[in-house]
Amino acid sequence: MKTAGIIAEYNPFHNGHIRQIRATREAGYDRIIAVMSGNIVQRGDVAVCDMGFRARVAVRNGVDLVLEILMPYSLSSAEDFARAGVSILSRLGCVDALSFGSECGDAARLQACADAIDQINPAEIKSLMSEGLTYPQATARLIGDDILSGANNTLAIEYIRKLKNTGILPFTVQRNISHDSLEFADTVSAMKIREMLRAGEDVSNFVPEVPGDLAFIENVDKVILSLAAFQDSDNTRIKKYAMQASSLSELYDMVKTRNVTHARVRREVLQAALGIKAGETATEPPYARILAANATGIEILGEIKRSGSIPVSTSLVELSKISPLAVRNAELTERASKLWHFARAEQGSYRSEFSREFCVST
């Protein structure tokens, strides 16, 4: 049995994800494990729907097992996000390949770019960024390839860089639309679907299941400003401007500098609001929480518990007992989910992540 891993956000799970899963199975991978962001995602936003719903939809549409990418790794740079996802997959002890989407769809070209980036002197990147280039722009200039203009290419290259010495092979599926495309096609981007959901439009042609319990960051605009201003944070610039801004978008504009991407600004604002400290992604994720599994996924969990080197469980209480680092990650997961709760379009009662256990049956 060959097993492929997928690092994802499924924000929301849509027809393009089904296409990737089918292509991965057609390439000979019998089992699929997804490691997925929780309720805060890498673009510096709240997830449009709850992690439990996204995980269940993924399992109902071809994934066998879904594990959570923990906070703060899910709210970090492409490099940290990729490192965390690959770390989890490699420590499961049963993953043969990593499947990912990319705009170019050419694994050899992505590998060549990854190798070229590894040879770059960091001082050269720093010098170009001091001239006003963003990190992707500086890197693209140094390797002589505009491949980093694609958001999924950027993540793909980071995945390949982190796969070194893991024994896990890269497998890419070409995306038929760009990452943030707002255009209509047979498959539309997650961004387009989120915009349609925000506008109350019908998305049933583009997703296998329409999410009902939605969350949008604008619903916690003032909450984030307040938290960013008063939370114990390393980012004094954000703390300062959070007291002056009247909205999140205004804060983003105040904080952004010419060599920093919008996504990085959004991430840093949420990091400040949630009290995430610099360097908290430097260590490997201490555990992997199980979000959903089918019968095959339960078999995989048996293998992981026998031969893997990372603790797995549905219980955040049990996982938090592993180490002080695990306690910290569990606390950040709880903070993130509380923020997601207040961002919901329709408020309900809050259920703590520490009292929540996910279904792992068919």
Side-chain angles (χ1 to χ4, degrees):
M1 300 287 283
K2 293 174 65 178
T3 304
I6 294 175
I7 301 171
E9 293 193 312
Y10 294 151
N11 185 34
F13 188 95
H14 58 69
N15 294 346
H17 298 129
I18 294 175
R19 177 175 171 268
Q20 179 193 3
I21 291 165
R22 287 176 178 167
T24 303
R25 290 196 180 274
E26 288 168 2
Y29 295 99
D30 312 283
R31 309 185 304 182
I32 294 179
I33 302 170
V35 289
M36 185 191 81
S37 298
N39 284 336
I40 301 291
V41 294
Q42 201 260 343
R43 62 181 286 108
D45 201 351
V46 298
V48 74
C49 48
D50 172 67
M51 69 175 101
F53 174 81
R54 288 180 283 132
R56 291 191 298 273
V57 173
V59 166
R60 287 194 284 263
N61 288 276
V63 175
D64 297 305
L65 172 65
V66 182
L67 304 170
E68 182 186 1
I69 297 181
L70 318 178
M71 288 287 294
Y73 308 94
S74 67
L75 185 60
S76 193
S77 65
E79 181 178 6
D80 289 343
F81 182 80
R83 183 190 299 114
V86 170
S87 172
I88 292 170
L89 290 171
S90 64
R91 291 153 67 202
L92 296 178
C94 61
V95 177
D96 301 294
L98 175 63
S99 171
F100 50 84
S102 64
E103 286 88 358
C104 79
D106 185 341
R109 181 183 172 194
L110 292 166
Q111 181 69 65
C113 289
D115 293 340
I117 290 171
D118 284 338
Q119 300 304 312
I120 293 175
N121 184 338
E124 295 181 86
I125 294 181
K126 187 174 181 181
S127 175
L128 288 174
M129 290 182 69
S130 70
E131 298 174 13
L133 272 65
T134 64
Y135 175 82
Q137 290 169 340
T139 305
R141 179 176 295 185
L142 290 169
I143 66 174
D145 195 321
D146 66 353
I147 195 169
L148 294 175
S149 61
N152 283 89
N153 286 343
T154 300
L155 264 177
I157 288 169
E158 292 300 336
Y159 293 151
I160 290 172
R161 294 177 70 197
K162 300 303 177 289
L163 287 176
K164 285 186 177 180
N165 303 317
T166 64
I168 298 175
L169 301 174
F171 171 75
T172 191
V173 177
Q174 186 168 23
R175 290 177 61 100
N176 57 0
I177 52 169
S178 64
H179 182 262
D180 289 339
S181 172
L182 296 179
E183 299 298 320
F184 280 100
D186 292 337
T187 302
V188 300
S189 71
M191 173 176 270
K192 178 62 180 177
I193 293 169
R194 290 193 298 271
E195 290 304 308
M196 293 175 70
L197 288 169
R198 182 176 275 106
E201 298 174 12
D202 180 16
V203 300
S204 58
N205 287 335
F206 310 113
V207 296
E209 296 182 41
V210 178
D213 189 9
L214 304 176
F216 301 108
I217 199 166
E218 57 266 29
N219 294 337
V220 283
D221 198 292
K222 293 294 191 293
V223 173
I224 293 173
L225 289 177
S226 177
L227 288 172
F230 297 110
Q231 185 73 263
D232 182 17
S233 165
D234 296 324
N235 199 315
T236 55
R237 180 178 173 84
I238 289 175
K239 287 174 72 74
K240 172 187 173 182
Y241 287 119
M243 292 295 295
Q244 302 175 22
S246 60
S247 66
L248 266 181
S249 60
E250 187 175 340
L251 177 59
Y252 297 153
D253 290 340
M254 288 177 168
V255 171
K256 190 181 181 326
T257 57
R258 61 179 182 164
N259 65 340
V260 175
T261 64
H262 285 281
R264 179 176 170 181
V265 169
R266 292 194 301 267
R267 284 195 298 271
E268 289 181 347
V269 167
L270 273 184
Q271 287 166 356
L274 293 168
I276 296 171
K277 304 290 188 179
E280 291 210 74
T281 57
T283 54
E284 289 189 314
Y287 59 79
R289 184 162 61 149
I290 304 163
L291 300 183
N294 59 19
T296 299
I298 293 171
E299 292 177 4
I300 295 171
L301 286 170
E303 293 180 27
I304 293 167
K305 290 178 180 179
R306 289 192 298 271
S307 58
S309 59
I310 183 170
V312 296
S313 173
T314 60
S315 170
L316 198 60
V317 171
E318 292 304 312
L319 291 168
S320 67
K321 295 176 181 177
I322 294 167
S323 65
L325 178 61
V327 171
R328 174 62 174 165
N329 277 253
E331 289 173 347
L332 288 174
T333 295
E334 178 75 351
R335 288 185 195 179
S337 288
K338 284 179 178 178
L339 184 64
W340 184 88
H341 168 74
F342 287 111
R344 293 165 67 190
E346 296 183 12
Q347 288 292 313
S349 59
Y350 178 69
R351 183 178 181 185
S352 170
E353 294 296 327
F354 288 98
S355 64
R356 184 179 187 187
E357 293 195 20
F358 293 89
C359 176
V360 290
S361 59
T362 53

